[in-house]
Amino acid sequence: MKFQPDRFDVQTITAYGPGWINVDADRIDHSIIVGARGQRIAWECQRFEDLTPAHFARLAEQEAEVVVFGSGQRLRFPPPAWLQPLMARRMGLETMDTLAACRTYNILAGEGRNVIAALLLET
């Protein structure tokens, strides 16, 4: 039996820790939107309390079938009204803590899904 390492043709989150992630070989220490189709967009928020409806409207502007929202060091849910732009575009949203969101993004991206991860990286 021959074993081969997993190789993805999409950008992946290769490491993470409190307040940082590595996307491929690049270390990132600010909140970010990462997409399987190469998106890397700074997401201007440092804490969950900084989020507004505009942050989720920006996610709806991305061409993705599902958004994985990493809500920081613990699981927190945005108000349902903020998700209207995503629902209008028939985009799914999964909410989890940021470390779980990193792992979930990698799995979905590796399956070839058109996914973005909106990751809140709290310092």
Side-chain angles (χ1 to χ4, degrees), residues 31-33 43 45 47-49 51 55-56 59 66-72 74-79 82-83 86 92-102 104-105 115-121:
S31 297
I32 191 164
I33 300 167
W43 207 33
C45 51
R47 303 171 309 136
F48 185 83
E49 294 77 19
L51 292 169
H55 288 97
F56 292 88
L59 297 176
V66 66
V67 176
V68 179
F69 169 52
S71 62
R74 62 186 177 91
L75 177 62
R76 295 170 283 190
F77 294 93
W82 293 6
L83 307 180
L86 295 167
L93 178 89
E94 295 294 332
T95 301
M96 52 199 75
D97 67 66
T98 295
L99 300 183
C102 290
T104 302
Y105 163 81
V115 59
I116 61 172
L119 304 172
L120 184 61
L121 297 175

Side-chain angles (χ1 to χ4, degrees), residues 4-69:
Q4 295 179 330
D6 289 334
R7 292 192 183 135
F8 297 118
D9 293 330
V10 296
Q11 65 183 350
T12 56
I13 299 168
T14 55
Y16 53 76
W20 64 274
I21 63 170
N22 280 3
V23 177
D24 296 327
D26 300 325
R27 187 177 175 109
I28 298 168
D29 59 3
H30 56 82
S31 297
I32 191 164
I33 300 167
V34 176
R37 297 197 172 158
Q39 304 98 316
R40 283 194 204 182
I41 304 165
W43 207 33
E44 294 81 21
C45 51
Q46 295 179 337
R47 303 171 309 136
F48 185 83
E49 294 77 19
D50 295 337
L51 292 169
T52 67
H55 288 97
F56 292 88
R58 187 168 189 196
L59 297 176
E61 295 170 0
Q62 305 303 308
E63 296 294 326
E65 61 186 272
V66 66
V67 176
V68 179
F69 169 52

